[in-house]
Amino acid sequence: MQDIKNRDDVYLLVSSFYAKVRKSEEIGHFFNDTITDWEEHLKKLTDFWESNLFFKAKFKGNPAKAHIKLDQKYHNALQMEHFGNWINLWFETIDSLFEGENANRAKNNARKMASHLYLTLFEAR
C-alpha cells in the first residue's frame, strides 16, 4: 500500500469512509438525515482533509459550528461513543487503503479533532 499523496487519494479516503458511515447503525442517521447533497459534502470534506494533510488553504467552513448545530438539532444526543464510532470507521478505512506518514497524520489529526469537537459540544450545551 502507498501513502496518501494527493487530492485524488484524499477523495478516495473521504468517499470510502462516508460510504461506511452512511451504513453505520450507530451514526449513519445523523449524516443521512442531515446531508442533502452528498456530492457537495464529499467535495467540502475532501477540501478539509486536503488542507489538513497538505497545508493547502482550500477549506472554507467552521466544523465546530456545524457540529454544535447538529447536536442542537438532535437535542444534545451526540455522545463520545458516536465520535468513537466515527474514529473507528476512519481508522478502518485508512488502514484498508493507505499506510505511511500522511495516513498516520490523518489518524492522529482525526483523533484530536474528535476530542476537540466533543468538548466544544459539551461547552455549548
Side-chain angles (χ1 to χ4, degrees):
M1 282 192 282
Q2 296 183 3
D3 203 357
I4 304 167
K5 295 179 183 175
N6 54 42
R7 183 176 179 84
D8 289 340
D9 290 343
V10 173
Y11 182 79
L12 174 62
L13 171 59
V14 168
S15 60
S16 299
F17 168 69
Y18 278 99
K20 292 178 184 184
V21 165
R22 293 179 77 179
K23 294 176 186 174
S24 168
E25 290 183 27
E26 293 84 11
I27 62 173
H29 65 282
F30 292 119
F31 295 88
N32 293 322
D33 295 345
T34 303
I35 298 165
T36 56
D37 185 345
W38 275 98
E39 282 298 316
E40 183 61 31
H41 191 67
L42 293 175
K43 181 181 179 288
K44 187 173 193 171
L45 290 172
T46 299
D47 288 347
F48 174 82
W49 283 105
E50 184 179 21
S51 297
N52 188 285
L53 293 173
F54 302 118
F55 309 106
K56 295 187 177 192
K58 290 192 171 192
F59 178 73
K60 293 182 180 22
N62 186 330
K65 186 177 179 179
H67 286 82
I68 289 169
K69 184 177 176 182
L70 180 70
D71 190 47
Q72 291 170 346
K73 174 183 174 181
Y74 286 94
H75 309 287
N76 300 332
L78 290 175
Q79 299 299 320
M80 195 66 212
E81 294 82 26
H82 297 120
F83 288 89
N85 292 128
W86 184 91
I87 285 288
N88 288 337
L89 290 173
W90 182 250
F91 278 35
E92 177 184 298
T93 306
I94 291 172
D95 289 342
S96 71
L97 297 170
F98 301 103
E99 65 181 7
E101 182 180 334
N102 288 330
N104 288 332
R105 187 176 326 132
K107 291 178 189 179
N108 290 333
N109 291 355
R111 186 182 299 117
K112 290 177 197 173
M113 182 177 63
S115 296
H116 174 74
L117 285 174
Y118 183 70
L119 290 173
T120 300
L121 293 182
F122 187 76
E123 290 173 355
R125 292 175 183 171

